[in-house]
Amino acid sequence: MPVTDQIGDFLTRIRNAGAAGKKTCEAPRSNIKVSIAKILKDQGYIEDYFDQKNEVQGTIKIQLKYFERKPVIHKISRVSTPGCRLYVDSESLTKVKSGLGVAIVSTSKGLMTVKDCKKHNVGGEVICTIW
């Protein structure tokens, strides 16, 4: 059965793998998922990711990060869905959990965190929040 929300499915796989105590999780590859994984690694929420390309689509493998046997990602949630898009300008972007979390925003300059959006003065579609 085809999945209508690829990003939501990707985030759910990460959330479920962390809740189950898995070391890794896999998902079908896309460029936006690779960009999300890069931001998660840069922000310290995952150990690493591996982009495995093949003839058809490929997979992306996420190596999860734990601290004292608990996943570093406490909550990861989709904000803008295919049925209800949420666009914000750079002035309306707010911190997640008073700066303890990260929001990923899809801009005309690629995927960025809220901090980068404010620095470059760009807005866009809020993809997800992580803390």
Side-chain angles (χ1 to χ4, degrees), residues 12-35:
T12 300
R13 287 176 191 237
I14 293 172
R15 184 183 323 112
N16 289 345
K22 302 284 185 181
K23 293 184 188 268
T24 61
C25 70
E26 289 187 9
R29 185 201 180 281
S30 72
N31 290 336
I32 194 162
K33 292 177 194 174
V34 172
S35 298

Side-chain angles (χ1 to χ4, degrees), residues 26-88:
E26 289 187 9
R29 185 201 180 281
S30 72
N31 290 336
I32 194 162
K33 292 177 194 174
V34 172
S35 298
I36 291 171
K38 182 181 182 307
I39 290 173
L40 290 176
K41 182 181 177 190
D42 292 343
Q43 296 297 318
Y45 288 104
I46 61 172
E47 288 287 335
D48 206 357
Y49 68 96
F50 305 100
D51 187 9
Q52 302 168 342
K53 296 181 182 177
N54 60 19
E55 303 99 33
V56 183
Q57 182 176 5
T59 59
I60 182 167
K61 190 173 186 178
I62 304 291
Q63 187 177 1
L64 300 174
K65 189 175 188 179
Y66 292 90
F67 179 72
E68 295 179 356
R69 294 187 173 183
K70 294 183 180 176
V72 173
I73 298 175
H74 296 289
K75 184 162 184 178
I76 185 167
S77 60
R78 181 88 154 106
V79 176
S80 184
T81 61
C84 183
R85 303 284 186 188
L86 177 66
Y87 297 95
V88 291

